């Protein structure tokens, strides 16, 4: 429990004091956000706001995790480090994209093929490592079975697992990226999901099969490797995002950019895969799913019928064009995300109790 508190507190502290320093550095170098001309008019005033702010919470999370291990004297675990690798690797791909957009003045950033290749390389490395290096109980960080609140069904094999893991990583990364269109929206939504995974990791640790002899009902134990350390990673991310939100909320002093959105999406997918809650992520991260679906529906409708379902996609911009203020959209979408997390945790508990 102390590890979780330390990780969250250190992550929060580092982004609270580190983000304004990053803002000054980026502003001095002129690394400002590009704003689409066809977007809502209210966004044009944001042009030039420092971006690549994801650097702040990526570094804060890494330092918070390492510092927590030093302070508590605990050793890092392979699942925890693996999730951090996925976060940092996806963040590096996003950083290259942001850097080319801003510094090289190429509005589209990395070419689509290069960006996809970078994500695939990081994702494949994560997936291959996640099914290797078993502990003394034979548990690898990820399972070759599909999972909801725990593993179910049949073994899908390593090839299909890699494909499935890549789908999750790409879907969540792009989902967070699409959500990151309004001040604080993606950051606040991510805080809630990381909070949910902090609870899940702690619960799995308390009911781990590794502690089966101490449980009142050993038959209902959870077979997850190092769940407490996954909770530590989630807490570090939650704290770091909370501190970043202080500067990212409306009116935002800094944007996370693709650096941050790809990193957060990768971290969410990694936590879901390693905690054996892969399909539950669609509920816990319901807002990201909803916003992604709005883009799919918009594009599909236009290609099939020539008509648009929404005034603009992603969904948050549709409501802006209907006259909702940016703050109103953000708060209401945060409410939706909060309901999704509560529902997801309810399903998680019900699934455990039924088991």
């Amino acid at each position: 429990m102390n590890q979780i508190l330390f990780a969250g507190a250190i992550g929060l502290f580092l982004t609270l004091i580190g983000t304004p320093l990053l803002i000054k550095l980026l502003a001095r170098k002129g690394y400002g956000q590009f704003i689409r001309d066809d977007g809502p008019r209210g966004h044009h005033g944001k042009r030039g706001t420092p971006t690549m702010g994801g650097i702040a919470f990526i570094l804060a999370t890494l330092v918070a995790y390492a510092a927590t291990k030093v302070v508590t004297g605990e050793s890092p675990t392979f699942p925890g480090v693996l999730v951090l690798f996925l976060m940092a690797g996806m963040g590096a791909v996003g950083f290259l994209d942001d850097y080319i957009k801003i510094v090289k003045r190429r509005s589209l950033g990395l070419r689509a093929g290069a960006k996809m290749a970078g994500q695939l390389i990081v994702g494949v490395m994560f997936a291959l490592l996640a099914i290797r290096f078993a502990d003394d109980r034979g548990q690898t960080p990820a399972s070759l079975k599909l999972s909801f609140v725990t593993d179910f069904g049949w073994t899908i094999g390593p090839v299909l697992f890699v494909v499935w893991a890549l789908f999750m990583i790409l879907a969540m990364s792009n989902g967070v990226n699409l959500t990151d269109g309004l001040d604080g929206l993606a950051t606040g939504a991510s805080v809630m999901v990381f909070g949910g995974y902090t609870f899940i990791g702690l619960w799995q640790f308390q009911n781990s099969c590794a502690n089966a002899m101490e449980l009142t009902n050993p038959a209902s134990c959870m077979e997850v490797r190092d769940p407490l350390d996954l909770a530590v990673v989630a807490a570090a991310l939650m704290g770091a995002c909370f501190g970043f939100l202080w500067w990212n909320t409306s009116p935002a002093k800094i944007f996370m950019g693709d650096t941050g959105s790809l990193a957060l999406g990768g971290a969410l997918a990694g936590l879901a895969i390693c905690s054996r809650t892969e399909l539950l992520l669609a509920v816990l991260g319901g807002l990201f799913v909803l916003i992604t679906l709005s883009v799919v529906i918009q594009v599909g409708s236009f290609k099939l019928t020539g008509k648009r379902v929404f005034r603009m996609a992603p969904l948050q911009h549709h409501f802006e064009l209907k006259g909702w203020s940016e703050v109103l959209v953000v708060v209401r979408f945060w409410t939706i995300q909060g309901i999704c997390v509560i529902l997801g945790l309810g399903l998680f508990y019900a699934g455990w109790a039924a088991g």
Side-chain angles (χ1 to χ4, degrees):
M1 190 65 176
N2 286 341
Q3 290 188 72
I4 294 174
L5 295 175
F6 274 124
I10 295 171
L12 173 65
F13 175 75
L14 289 176
T15 45
L16 278 176
I17 66 169
T19 304
L21 299 177
L22 181 62
I23 292 171
K24 292 179 181 178
L25 175 63
L26 294 173
R28 187 164 61 245
K29 290 184 174 293
Y31 294 173
Q33 177 70 34
F34 170 79
I35 302 295
R36 291 167 50 184
D37 290 329
D38 59 344
R41 291 183 179 179
H43 289 208
H44 293 173
K46 300 180 181 183
R47 184 175 280 112
T49 301
T51 187
M52 296 193 288
I55 295 171
F57 56 74
I58 291 173
L59 292 178
T61 300
L62 295 174
V63 173
Y65 180 82
T68 296
K69 297 303 176 183
V70 172
V71 171
T72 61
E74 300 290 339
S75 299
T77 68
F78 190 60
V81 172
L82 198 56
V83 173
L84 293 175
F85 160 76
L86 182 58
M87 174 197 70
M90 296 298 288
V93 175
F95 174 81
L96 288 175
D97 190 45
D98 288 334
Y99 185 83
I100 291 172
K101 285 178 186 175
I102 297 163
V103 179
K104 301 298 182 182
R105 304 296 180 185
R106 196 168 80 199
S107 61
L108 295 179
L110 274 174
R111 301 194 187 282
K115 187 174 183 179
M116 178 62 71
Q119 292 176 293
L120 289 176
I121 290 171
V122 175
V124 168
M125 290 177 65
F126 168 84
L128 292 176
L129 290 171
I131 53 177
R132 297 179 64 85
F133 304 104
D135 62 9
D136 54 5
R137 297 176 57 247
Q139 289 293 313
T140 54
S143 169
L144 291 179
K145 292 184 177 182
L146 296 179
S147 60
F148 183 55
V149 298
T150 187
D151 289 344
F152 70 88
W154 58 91
T155 300
I156 61 176
V159 175
L160 285 180
F161 170 77
V162 171
V163 174
W164 171 239
L166 283 175
F167 170 77
M168 287 192 62
I169 294 166
L170 294 174
M172 285 310 302
S173 295
N174 289 298
V176 178
N177 186 255
L178 291 171
T179 305
D180 183 35
L182 302 182
D183 294 353
L185 178 58
T187 309
S190 298
V191 165
M192 298 181 204
V193 187
F194 289 131
Y197 270 112
T198 302
F199 173 84
I200 287 172
L202 184 58
W203 188 272
Q204 289 176 331
F205 171 71
Q206 292 174 338
N207 295 278
S208 172
C209 291
N211 306 321
M213 296 297 294
E214 304 171 13
L215 299 177
T216 55
N217 183 16
S220 65
C221 70
M222 293 187 166
E223 197 66 88
V224 177
R225 179 173 170 182
D226 300 310
L228 181 61
D229 210 43
L230 294 176
V232 172
V233 172
L237 279 159
M238 179 177 64
C241 287
F242 245 134
F244 182 76
L245 184 62
W246 181 272
W247 305 101
N248 181 234
T249 194
S250 183
K253 302 294 188 297
I254 189 171
F255 301 138
M256 70 170 68
D258 282 14
T259 305
S261 60
L262 296 188
L264 292 180
L268 289 170
L271 286 169
I273 292 169
C274 290
S275 65
R276 317 288 171 87
T277 56
E278 296 159 357
L279 296 178
L280 185 64
L281 180 59
V283 181
L284 289 168
L287 180 64
F288 303 127
V289 176
L290 178 65
I291 287 176
T292 302
L293 285 176
S294 74
V295 175
V296 173
I297 291 170
Q298 184 85 326
V299 173
S301 175
F302 186 76
K303 287 186 174 181
L304 292 174
T305 68
K307 297 181 180 179
R308 293 180 173 86
V309 177
F310 307 106
R311 296 188 181 186
M312 186 177 179
L315 187 62
Q316 61 268 33
H317 299 316
H318 166 78
F319 289 103
E320 278 193 291
L321 293 178
K322 286 190 68 174
W324 291 19
S325 69
E326 181 174 359
V327 173
L328 180 62
V329 176
V330 170
V331 172
R332 286 182 173 174
F333 275 41
W334 278 352
T335 303
I336 293 171
Q337 179 54 55
I339 293 171
C340 290
V341 171
I342 292 170
L343 177 60
L345 292 178
L347 290 172
F348 174 79
Y349 179 79
W352 172 82

